[in-house]
């Protein structure tokens, strides 16, 4: 380890230490075999297509191209070099085997997934001796719509081969995969990673993020009671659930209720390139009296940053800290042992009684006063599935409340009034939106709507069923 520390990047040294903690063998790598890998995901489909195109241009080169899922499971492998393929088979770097850092120690794809950043691991930097004949470059791929880690593109070659372009090729392949996923998921703008807003301090006053909305459903109230009990006892709480469901709000409400005069510092994990600066800016606040730290989206945290936080967070003051994640098992391994309580926050679709109170509350935020909702609009909001949870509701209400004092169904986007089961093309989306726009105008009859749309009434009824459009009753 001493020589490695002098010459290897800090991230590689940190990975070696984790590999030791995991008990990975220093000799021959022994990755876990999971059988036939799944193939149905959008990431796997797009990644295989990109891998195939790249393989055709590199078929004569001593390079193996691999696609892995977020757990390091190899989904696909391509190479025109049969000697390299035989050698990779000998170390089980093949479909069905997991090369996550926990399974195989320090390696390119495992470290890229752990730290969520492009990575090159060369020969002697590998933890296992049996991997030191290779150089690996890997780039993680995030879902362009949700930011969730989907997997990685990995290029492996002999250590003696010229490898300067490996990382550039891996970056290009990963970027193409992301673009293809975005196009096939219906397009639209990809979410912008958090930048600039390093942390937010919730002031000790009544405000939406700190728990003023009352009268919500029993499932929300029960979750809040559990978090409050954990905070009151000084335990570290992990609030898990879907993004946008109110995980950070739940933590903030509990912290504010238990310590009404304290500070609530909400630090949400930013883009990977900004993590070092992010840590330096907010971590000095940890341990200050009457300060509660909320680590949002902790499952997006690179492993090296989690290692640093593991040594920092247990020394927090009596107000403690909490974290949010999709699932407890998605948290970095360094943080999991620190968690003393896990609370699940239900998605909005499982809390239909919360939709209208939240909508009214959000509308008041936008306008600074009460905004009315018609019974038809309330029903439409309750009936929608809200795949984007409260974050989606906020966007819908904000758009409607800026255009009217009384929100009706005609002010809601077409997707709120439809329950289609398949992804629509651009033409289908335009057609659905036009049908909704025409038929939700006050007083319009089906005959008048069909005439304006240039369709027969029978066709309009068929299209309503095809798109799952729910029109207001009465």
């Amino acid at each position: 380890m001493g020589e490695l520390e002098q010459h290897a990047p800090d991230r590689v040294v940190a990975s070696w230490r984790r590999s030791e903690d995991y008990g990975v063998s220093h000799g021959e790598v022994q990755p876990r075999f999971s059988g036939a890998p799944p193939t149905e995901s959008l990431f796997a489909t797009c990644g295989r297509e990109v891998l195939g195109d790249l393989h055709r241009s590199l078929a004569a080169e001593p390079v193996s191209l691999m696609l892995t899922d977020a757990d390091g499971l190899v989904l696909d492998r391509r190479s025109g070099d049969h000697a390299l393929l035989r050698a990779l088979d000998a170390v089980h770097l093949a479909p069905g085997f997991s090369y996550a850092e926990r399974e195989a120690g320090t390696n390119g794809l495992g470290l890229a997934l752990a730290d969520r950043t492009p990575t090159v691991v060369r020969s002697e930097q590998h933890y296992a001796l049996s991997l030191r004949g290779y150089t690996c470059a890997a780039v993680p791929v995030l879902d362009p719509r949700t930011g969730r880690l989907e997997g990685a593109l990995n290029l492996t070659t002999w250590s003696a081969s010229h490898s300067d372009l490996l990382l550039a090729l891996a970056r290009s392949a990963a970027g193409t995969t992301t673009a293809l996923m975005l196009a096939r998921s219906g397009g639209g703008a990809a979410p912008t990673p958090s930048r600039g807003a390093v942390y937010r301090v919730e002031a000790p006053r009544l405000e939406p993020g700190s728990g003023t909305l009352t009268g919500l459903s029993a499932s929300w109230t029960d979750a809040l009671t559990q978090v409050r009990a954990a905070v009151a006892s000084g335990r570290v709480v992990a609030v898990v659930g879907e993004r946008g469901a109110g995980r950070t709000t739940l933590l903030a409400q509990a912290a504010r209720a238990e310590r009404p005069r304290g500070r609530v510092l909400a630090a949400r994990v930013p883009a990977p390139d900004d993590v070092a600066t992010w840590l330096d800016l907010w971590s000095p606040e940890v341990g200050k009296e009457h300060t509660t730290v909320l680590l949002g989206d902790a499952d997006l945290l690179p492993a090296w940053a989690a290692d640093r936080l593991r040594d920092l967070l247990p020394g927090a003051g009596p107000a403690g800290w909490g974290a949010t994640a999709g699932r407890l098992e998605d948290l970095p391994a360094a943080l999991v042992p620190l968690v003393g309580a896990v609370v699940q926050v239900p998605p909005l679709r499982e809390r239909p009684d919360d939709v209208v109170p939240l909508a009214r509350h959000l509308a008041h935020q936008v306008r600074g006063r009460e905004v009315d909702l018609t019974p038809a609009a309330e029903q439409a909001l309750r009936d929608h599935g809200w795949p984007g949870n409260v974050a989606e509701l906020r966007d819908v209400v904000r758009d409607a409340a800026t255009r009217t004092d009384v929100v009706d169904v005609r002010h809601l986007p077409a997707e709120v009034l439809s329950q289609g089961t398949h992804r629509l093309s651009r033409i289908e989306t335009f057609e659905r939106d036009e049908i909704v726009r025409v038929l939700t105008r006050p007083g319009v009859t089906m005959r008048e709507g069909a005439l304006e749309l240039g369709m027969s009434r029978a066709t309009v009824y068929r299209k309503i069923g095809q798109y799952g459009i729910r029109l207001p009753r009465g």
Side-chain angles (χ1 to χ4, degrees):
M1 175 73 81
E3 185 176 347
L4 180 80
E5 288 177 326
Q6 294 177 11
H7 300 98
D10 291 343
R11 290 178 50 242
V12 172
V13 174
S15 177
W16 267 56
R17 293 192 177 115
R18 290 194 299 270
S19 300
E20 289 179 344
D21 292 341
Y22 296 148
V24 177
S25 171
H26 244 316
E28 186 173 347
V29 67
Q30 298 175 330
R32 171 173 49 88
F33 180 68
S34 300
T39 60
E40 69 279 0
S41 72
L42 178 63
F43 162 70
T45 301
C46 295
R48 282 190 170 88
E49 187 171 324
V50 171
L51 216 62
D53 290 341
L54 185 57
H55 172 60
R56 283 187 281 275
S57 63
L58 295 176
E61 300 296 327
V63 178
S64 176
L65 317 173
M66 277 165 269
L67 186 73
T68 80
D69 69 8
D71 296 321
L73 179 70
V74 180
L75 304 178
D76 200 351
R77 185 186 69 178
R78 315 281 179 94
S79 179
D81 188 321
H82 295 291
L84 179 60
L85 286 175
R86 287 194 296 272
L88 293 177
D89 283 341
V91 294
H92 311 297
L93 188 45
F97 287 91
S98 172
Y99 253 70
E101 188 182 70
R102 181 181 287 274
E103 304 288 340
T106 304
N107 69 90
L109 71 88
L111 185 50
L113 292 170
D115 279 353
R116 307 172 70 91
T117 194
T119 299
V120 175
V121 172
R122 295 179 169 84
S123 57
E124 71 284 351
Q125 295 175 352
H126 286 90
Y127 186 78
L129 292 171
S130 59
L131 298 181
R132 294 188 182 178
Y134 310 100
T135 289
C136 302
V139 176
V141 176
L142 307 183
D143 186 302
R145 302 296 300 168
T146 66
R148 183 181 62 192
L149 178 66
E150 292 288 338
L153 267 296
N154 175 65
L155 275 66
T156 296
T157 188
W158 305 108
S159 292
S161 300
H162 185 71
S163 59
D164 291 345
L165 293 179
L166 276 188
L167 188 58
L169 286 171
R171 283 182 184 271
S172 176
T176 303
T177 301
T178 300
L180 197 56
M181 291 172 64
L182 182 61
R184 292 184 179 175
S185 64
T192 302
S194 174
R195 289 179 179 271
V198 177
Y199 63 82
R200 182 181 72 255
V201 176
E202 300 282 7
R205 64 173 184 269
L206 298 181
E207 57 184 12
S210 299
T212 60
L213 190 58
T214 59
L216 292 182
S217 64
S219 57
W220 176 268
T221 304
D222 289 346
L224 179 60
T225 300
Q226 294 178 55
V227 178
R228 285 191 62 176
V231 171
S233 65
R235 288 177 289 166
V236 173
V237 191
V239 175
V240 299
E242 296 179 8
R243 268 191 164 191
R247 301 173 306 184
T248 303
T249 298
L250 193 68
L251 270 173
Q253 285 187 352
R256 180 67 61 225
E258 291 301 315
R259 299 180 176 90
R261 296 184 179 277
R263 314 169 64 225
V264 178
L265 188 155
R268 179 163 294 174
V269 175
D273 291 346
D274 296 329
V275 170
T277 302
W278 173 79
L279 280 171
D280 290 340
L281 285 171
W282 73 262
S283 58
E285 301 296 318
V286 175
K288 289 186 176 180
E289 190 177 4
H290 305 305
T291 295
T292 301
V293 177
L294 309 183
L295 185 60
D297 297 325
D299 45 349
L300 305 184
L301 196 65
W304 68 264
D307 291 344
R308 179 173 162 185
L309 283 175
R310 174 184 53 198
D311 301 328
L312 175 70
L313 289 172
W321 64 281
T324 71
R327 304 173 302 169
L328 178 65
E329 53 265 41
D330 293 333
L331 281 177
L335 299 184
V336 172
L338 307 180
V339 174
V342 180
V343 178
Q344 178 89 31
V345 57
L348 187 57
R349 63 180 172 275
E350 295 178 9
R351 297 152 38 205
D353 292 341
D354 290 347
V355 173
V356 172
L358 284 170
R360 292 185 178 280
H361 186 70
L362 293 164
H364 190 282
Q365 283 185 283
V366 173
R367 295 294 295 273
R369 58 180 174 79
E370 296 296 328
V371 175
D372 288 334
L373 301 172
T374 67
E378 289 186 358
Q379 188 62 50
L381 292 173
R382 276 193 294 266
D383 289 345
H384 185 51
W386 300 111
N389 287 298
V390 181
E392 181 188 0
L393 176 64
R394 181 191 60 235
D395 292 341
V396 167
V397 171
R398 178 186 293 135
D399 179 68
T402 55
R403 293 186 288 125
T404 181
D405 292 329
V406 181
V407 176
D408 193 14
V409 286
R410 68 182 185 277
H411 301 117
L412 302 177
E415 56 266 24
V416 171
L417 299 175
S418 63
Q419 293 179 318
T421 58
H422 71 284
R423 187 175 296 114
L424 302 183
S425 68
R426 292 182 183 275
I427 292 177
E428 288 174 325
T429 300
F430 175 79
E431 183 176 62
R432 179 203 64 188
D433 292 357
E434 278 298 288
I435 292 172
V436 170
R437 182 187 65 81
V438 170
L439 296 183
T440 56
R441 287 210 310 267
V444 70
T445 66
M446 186 62 70
R447 179 177 178 279
E448 292 167 342
L451 187 63
E452 181 174 343
L453 291 165
M455 303 177 184
S456 68
R457 280 188 291 179
T459 299
V460 173
Y461 281 118
R462 179 172 60 81
K463 294 289 185 180
I464 288 173
Q466 175 185 335
Y467 295 130
I469 297 171
R470 303 185 307 272
L471 295 173
R473 295 186 288 270

